[in-house]
Amino acid sequence: MEPSPSPPTADRALLQRLARGARHRYRAIFLLTGLVLAGAVTLASRLRFDTDVLNLLPRRAPEVQAFREALDRFGSADYLIVAVRIPEGAVLDPYLSLADRLGAGLDRSLLIDEVEYRLAEIEGLLEAFLPRSMLFLDEGARAAVVERLSDEGLRRRVRELRRLVETPQSVALKSVLRLDPVGLAEVFLERFTGARAGLSVDWTTGYLLSTDRRMLLLLAQPTAPPQNVDFAKRLSAETAALIEEVRTAWPEIAGPDAGPAPEVALGGRYVIAVGDEELIRRDAITNVLTSMAGVLALFLLAFRRFGLLLYAFVPLCSGLALTFGFSAVVYGSLSAATSGVAALLIGLGIDFVIVSYGRYVEERRGGAGLETALARMSGSSGRAVVVGGVTSAATFYSFGVTDFTGLRQMGFLTGTGILFCMLAVLLLLPAMLAWSEDHHRRRDRAPRLVLHGLGSARLIRLALARPTWVLLASLVVSAAAVAALPRLEFVDSVQAMRPAGNPGVTVRDEVAERFASGFDQMMLVVGGDTVDEVVEGAHRAAEGARALVASGVLVAADAVTTLIPPPARQRAALEWLSRARVAELDPDRIRSTFAEAAAAEGLRLDPFLPGLDLLTQAIERQRPVGPDDYASSPQTRALLDRYLARSPGGWQSAVFLYPPAMRWRREPPPEVERLAAELGPHAVLTGANVVSKFLRRRVLEDAVVAAVLGFVLVAALLWLDYRRLDDTLLSLAPLTMGIIWMLGALALLGWPMNFMNIFVTTMIIGIGVDYGVHMIHRYRERAAADPAARAAGLAETGKAIVLAALSTIVGFGSLSFSHYPGLQSMGRVAILGAVTTALVAITVLPAYLARFRLPRTPQPGE
């Protein structure tokens, strides 16, 4: 016999009134819902997609702040990479001509500031720097210059010039030889034609050509950062059109028998940003569609009625629309972290529909009328839905303790979305059921009411009948899971979270391999009150970095001292010049000896006169080099801005450090960290690998804090609901044991934890606790009933739990098809967590209740 319902509490009475109001005013509810959803959809249509990874990181962390400030002040190695692939053994000339056309086209673009691809472009820089060259020399270099500019040294140099001029490969070097006949510019040559990225280049052609002669490189510096995705799209499209135009002209460039046009590929962060934005957009749409299709198919399988798909579809879509409309107002954009929110909400929101509708079916099949069934659905199961929804939202809100902006946004949006979905179900489902009943009544036929539990009822009855065996088996499984935990690995590579196949990454890595540079720069940012103080600090940093280059730790280092020598060195050089220009560096003697040697070697003097004039200016220099020397042209000013910038407390200078290709991406070399520490508090090491090292430590800390906080919040909310410690602990039991089983299964399957799926453990707290809540609520409701009625009630609730778990599996399963390995791993962990917590809830928990709990008298107010 059906037990009479217990007196309603205040919250149950409110939910029952809500159900009765929906029963009689469903048209008004539909109209109001439609208006609200129209506004939410309009807002959601304005959402943007943000691919900037920095926007996901802790903004207040010193490591992240230093990285952001360094990028803002000094820029980065964010080039648009244009790579021309050269067949093995091919004649280079036509490929060099093609690079010229590409370079000229890129240089004309309003989207690009500067293009580096030829040695010849250094002429203007040589004319600017050679007159200051003597101030860059240390004591040993000064002695070498004196020896080079001696009569015998000049004669040796002229003989070398004749050899270079007669070498076929020297064509591109003639302009440099003309401006620097004595060879003082060699220190600048590599510095200003690619050393920014630490490139290993074959200079004999005068182009950025790989040492194996299989690739030509053009490095373009665009006018906006790659985080501006709209700009990156325009840049990529414009450059792709230029490449196609130049490739079409290949027969004109190389001759009609030259064969197919060469491959020209785009790479770098701009192309990566475009590819990632497309993947994020595609994944977000795919996740929504596949999750929705999967859970609706599951709903149809369980209730065997096509018309019921509307009951799931409408509340879910309403909750999603409200969530994304809310997201548009609060955040304005979706990121890689928040793009999976839709799949999470579909998997979690369908639980409310299944549990509520399952109770409605049970009541109607038991003979209750429409209004009574709706009242019991909302008053009894509805209360469990509210508790489950609030506890689930609380666990996602616990992400608020992390400083990771992306995870905090995902937690806040998912928690809020759960509440929106719960509200939509509580309001719309009774209204839709009432409309359906009235619709069928007018057609004089009753709706079909079925709930297929997929075998869950038999499992629950088995657990109730054989509780001791079930409890022993659960202990064995738990012991095995605990034993497997030491095998569980944690992968701390951020790169492993990136999707494979992004063409920007593929080309960048190919260039890194051929040019021995990964474009993965670090920066030593040196601060000070004055320019002289900062330059001196940068000099010490650069000297230490060059020692690391010599030892192989780094491949290149670049500092402001390339442009402004250290003050002490300049003073010493000026004193030396004041003495030497009247003796060993007499300009008239140097010019006369050079002319005699040139005549003796059969070389004309006229081509070298501009260079001799620049040398005379260098020897007669009488004032130090400072920032004002680089203010005369945009080119030189842009060079200085790369190294030197004003800061709120004075000045800062960046020393760029380049590690070997494909190495030190996860953390900086220890030798570089020691160098930064030796330079003192005014020097800060920063870079993507520095941030990566910080993330590995911080993610683990925040994940533990979020999980503990989520568990404590859930426990507190359950105690407020039950006001009984034992029932609170019982509701938490499936969660606790299920997580242990989940972690053990991950270890046995060889699926590692990582930065993203470790937070799924906190999500599982919100997902898995619902199952225990529904079972305990039903047990408390049927505690005074006879054993058969109690078993029947638990079996019906178990059906809903199994279907809810399957819906979570289907919803999260869509993440497994994401292009992002991090999201894929989140989907797998969530699936395992849903399976294990649901399995414990429908087997171990009923067995415990049957073994240790006797029927009790309902407490007042229950």
Side-chain angles (χ1 to χ4, degrees):
M1 179 179 177
E2 178 73 19
S4 59
S6 55
T9 58
D11 51 353
R12 283 181 180 170
L14 174 62
L15 293 171
Q16 289 173 354
R17 287 197 300 272
L18 183 64
R20 292 190 178 98
R23 162 70 184 94
H24 297 289
R25 296 179 178 84
Y26 54 78
R27 291 183 180 86
I29 289 175
F30 295 155
L31 176 61
L32 179 62
T33 301
L35 293 174
V36 172
L37 292 183
V41 170
T42 301
L43 291 171
S45 65
R46 301 174 183 173
L47 277 170
R48 297 176 291 102
F49 292 87
D50 183 7
T51 64
D52 187 358
V53 177
L54 289 180
N55 289 336
L56 305 179
L57 304 183
R59 296 181 184 274
R60 292 174 294 180
E63 294 85 348
V64 177
Q65 285 183 337
F67 189 50
R68 281 182 174 277
E69 291 173 1
L71 293 180
D72 290 341
R73 288 187 181 134
F74 305 107
S76 66
D78 284 336
Y79 298 102
L80 174 66
I81 300 172
V82 183
V84 181
R85 298 187 178 103
I86 303 174
E88 187 173 3
V91 177
L92 290 178
D93 286 346
Y95 294 91
L96 302 180
S97 298
L98 181 136
D100 285 333
R101 289 206 182 189
L102 285 173
L106 292 170
D107 198 45
R108 288 193 301 269
S109 173
L110 298 178
L111 305 180
I112 293 175
D113 267 338
E114 182 184 357
V115 184
E116 297 181 39
Y117 70 102
R118 288 193 61 189
L119 176 65
E121 295 173 355
I122 201 172
E123 291 181 26
L125 293 173
L126 290 178
E127 291 176 349
F129 290 116
L130 282 175
R132 311 172 188 127
S133 58
M134 295 296 182
L135 301 189
F136 288 83
L137 305 178
D138 60 16
E139 184 175 355
R142 292 195 289 270
V145 166
V146 168
E147 195 280 331
R148 174 175 290 220
L149 295 181
S150 66
D151 290 344
E152 182 56 34
L154 287 169
R155 295 186 185 98
R156 283 197 304 269
R157 176 61 179 174
V158 171
R159 289 195 293 269
E160 183 181 359
L161 283 176
R162 187 187 66 179
R163 181 184 61 79
L164 291 173
V165 169
E166 293 175 350
T167 303
Q169 294 179 340
S170 70
V171 176
L173 295 174
K174 286 183 178 179
S175 59
V176 175
L177 299 177
R178 179 177 60 84
L179 293 174
D180 183 29
V182 299
L184 292 182
E186 292 175 357
V187 67
F188 301 116
L189 184 62
E190 184 178 351
R191 181 69 62 199
F192 295 112
T193 52
R196 295 183 191 180
L199 298 173
S200 177
V201 177
D202 180 348
W203 297 108
T204 58
T205 62
Y207 289 75
L208 297 185
L209 176 68
S210 61
T211 54
D212 63 1
R213 299 196 160 202
R214 295 295 305 278
M215 181 175 285
L216 275 167
L217 192 62
L218 295 91
L219 299 177
Q221 287 191 315
T223 58
Q227 289 80 14
N228 185 337
V229 179
D230 291 337
F231 173 86
K233 286 182 176 180
R234 294 199 309 274
L235 176 67
S236 297
E238 179 183 294
T239 308
L242 171 65
I243 290 171
E244 186 58 31
E245 176 187 334
V246 174
R247 291 182 76 249
T248 303
W250 178 247
E252 173 190 339
I253 297 171
D257 300 327
E263 298 178 14
V264 182
L266 290 177
R269 295 185 188 274
Y270 292 88
V271 182
I272 293 171
V274 173
D276 281 359
E277 193 270 349
E278 292 175 355
L279 288 180
I280 290 173
R281 186 186 299 274
R282 193 186 316 162
D283 280 358
I285 295 173
T286 302
N287 288 341
V288 171
L289 294 180
T290 56
S291 297
M292 185 67 74
V295 297
L296 292 180
L298 178 64
F299 203 77
L300 179 61
L301 175 66
F303 295 102
R304 310 297 173 87
R305 182 178 161 199
F306 278 101
L308 291 179
L309 296 181
L310 195 63
Y311 298 160
F313 184 78
V314 171
L316 278 181
C317 286
S318 300
L320 288 175
L322 290 171
T323 301
F324 286 109
F326 177 79
S327 175
V329 173
V330 176
Y331 298 119
S333 63
L334 292 178
S335 65
T338 54
S339 63
V341 167
L344 298 178
L345 292 180
I346 291 173
L348 296 171
I350 194 67
D351 295 3
F352 304 141
V353 180
I354 290 173
V355 171
S356 298
Y357 185 72
R359 181 58 182 270
Y360 173 78
V361 170
E362 181 185 352
E363 294 294 340
R364 291 306 305 276
R365 292 176 65 185
L370 171 62
E371 190 163 333
T372 301
L374 291 176
R376 291 184 181 179
M377 177 189 76
S378 296
S380 297
S381 293
R383 186 166 186 257
V385 164
V386 170
V387 173
V390 171
T391 53
S392 295
T395 57
F396 282 97
Y397 285 147
S398 69
F399 283 18
V401 301
T402 179
D403 287 334
F404 286 84
T405 306
L407 289 171
R408 191 168 63 247
Q409 288 180 359
M410 185 187 70
F412 183 68
L413 282 183
T414 306
T416 304
I418 288 172
L419 298 180
F420 279 140
C421 289
M422 179 190 74
L423 180 62
V425 170
L426 292 175
L427 185 64
L428 287 175
L429 186 58
M432 295 175 70
L433 290 172
W435 170 83
S436 177
E437 289 282 350
D438 288 350
H439 177 73
H440 284 90
R441 188 178 297 116
R442 286 194 297 269
R443 294 192 173 191
D444 196 25
R445 62 184 177 87
R448 184 185 180 194
L449 299 172
V450 177
L451 175 57
H452 198 290
L454 305 177
S456 58
R458 287 195 295 272
L459 274 177
I460 292 176
R461 288 192 173 91
L462 176 64
L464 293 172
R466 300 285 188 272
T468 302
W469 288 107
V470 171
L471 292 175
L472 288 175
S474 70
L475 291 177
V476 171
V477 174
S478 299
V482 171
L485 288 181
R487 296 167 53 184
L488 184 62
E489 296 181 0
F490 183 85
V491 175
D492 57 3
S493 172
V494 177
Q495 294 296 326
M497 302 295 99
R498 293 196 59 86
N502 188 308
V505 176
T506 303
V507 173
R508 183 196 64 187
D509 291 345
E510 181 184 358
V511 170
E513 181 178 355
R514 293 198 179 276
F515 289 86
S517 173
F519 297 94
D520 294 323
Q521 67 180 14
M522 295 173 285
M523 282 183 271
L524 261 174
V525 180
V526 180
D529 296 329
T530 65
V531 171
D532 285 354
E533 183 180 344
V534 167
V535 171
E536 188 63 43
H539 169 65
R540 293 196 304 272
E543 289 296 304
R546 291 187 182 106
L548 297 181
V549 171
S551 64
V553 175
L554 301 173
V555 297
D558 195 11
V560 70
T561 49
T562 301
L563 306 179
I564 301 177
R569 178 174 296 179
Q570 291 201 64
R571 289 192 295 271
L574 288 171
E575 292 176 1
W576 166 68
L577 285 174
S578 67
R579 299 189 305 269
R581 71 172 63 99
V582 297
E584 60 263 44
L585 295 185
D586 178 14
D588 294 334
R589 179 193 60 79
I590 293 172
R591 186 179 294 259
S592 174
T593 303
F594 186 92
E596 292 174 2
E601 296 294 334
L603 294 177
R604 293 175 53 246
L605 181 63
D606 290 348
F608 302 107
L609 290 178
L612 293 174
D613 290 340
L614 292 176
L615 176 62
T616 299
Q617 294 177 40
I619 294 173
E620 294 180 349
R621 179 87 183 191
Q622 298 186 25
R623 63 182 180 84
V625 177
D628 292 342
D629 289 86
Y630 298 93
S632 58
S633 73
Q635 187 181 22
T636 56
R637 188 164 56 247
L639 280 173
L640 184 63
D641 289 344
R642 176 172 172 78
Y643 303 101
L644 189 67
R646 286 190 178 273
S647 66
W651 291 83
Q652 283 188 333
S653 180
V655 179
F656 294 89
L657 312 175
Y658 298 97
M662 313 300 290
R663 291 181 59 192
W664 301 111
R665 287 187 169 183
R666 296 172 56 198
E667 60 186 3
E671 296 88 346
V672 175
E673 291 181 308
R674 285 196 293 271
L675 172 61
E678 291 169 0
L679 292 172
H682 294 295
V684 176
L685 178 66
T686 188
N689 51 3
V690 177
V691 175
S692 178
K693 180 180 179 180
F694 156 74
L695 292 181
R696 290 202 305 277
R697 182 188 77 248
R698 189 60 172 272
V699 164
L700 289 173
E701 295 174 355
D702 284 4
V704 172
V705 171
V708 172
L709 178 60
F711 194 88
V712 170
L713 285 174
V714 166
L717 290 169
L718 290 179
W719 185 85
L720 290 174
D721 178 45
Y722 296 133
R723 300 303 174 118
R724 289 176 57 93
L725 181 60
D726 54 349
D727 285 348
T728 299
L729 295 177
L730 280 177
S731 291
L732 293 172
L735 170 64
T736 306
M737 187 174 289
I739 288 179
I740 293 174
W741 289 11
M742 176 194 75
L743 295 176
L746 286 172
L748 292 173
L749 291 170
W751 292 350
M753 301 295 289
N754 56 51
F755 288 135
M756 295 186 72
N757 67 24
I758 192 171
F759 280 89
V760 177
T761 304
T762 304
M763 297 182 194
I764 295 299
I765 295 175
I767 296 169
V769 74
D770 290 0
Y771 307 147
V773 167
H774 292 308
M775 290 297 287
I776 295 300
H777 266 271
R778 197 55 185 272
Y779 166 76
R780 286 161 64 94
E781 184 182 336
R782 294 289 186 100
D786 60 79
R790 188 166 60 249
L794 292 177
E796 290 298 322
T797 300
K799 291 180 182 179
I801 289 174
V802 168
L803 292 174
L806 288 175
S807 69
T808 299
I809 291 170
V810 171
F812 277 92
S814 67
L815 296 180
S816 300
F817 299 101
S818 170
H819 291 84
Y820 283 82
L823 288 177
Q824 294 173 11
S825 67
M826 288 176 64
R828 290 195 295 264
V829 172
I831 289 171
L832 275 179
V835 169
T836 55
T837 52
L839 186 60
V840 173
I842 65 172
T843 57
V844 180
L845 188 55
Y848 180 88
L849 294 173
R851 179 68 178 80
F852 296 106
R853 283 288 191 96
L854 296 174
R856 64 183 184 83
T857 303
Q859 301 298 315
E862 293 185 351

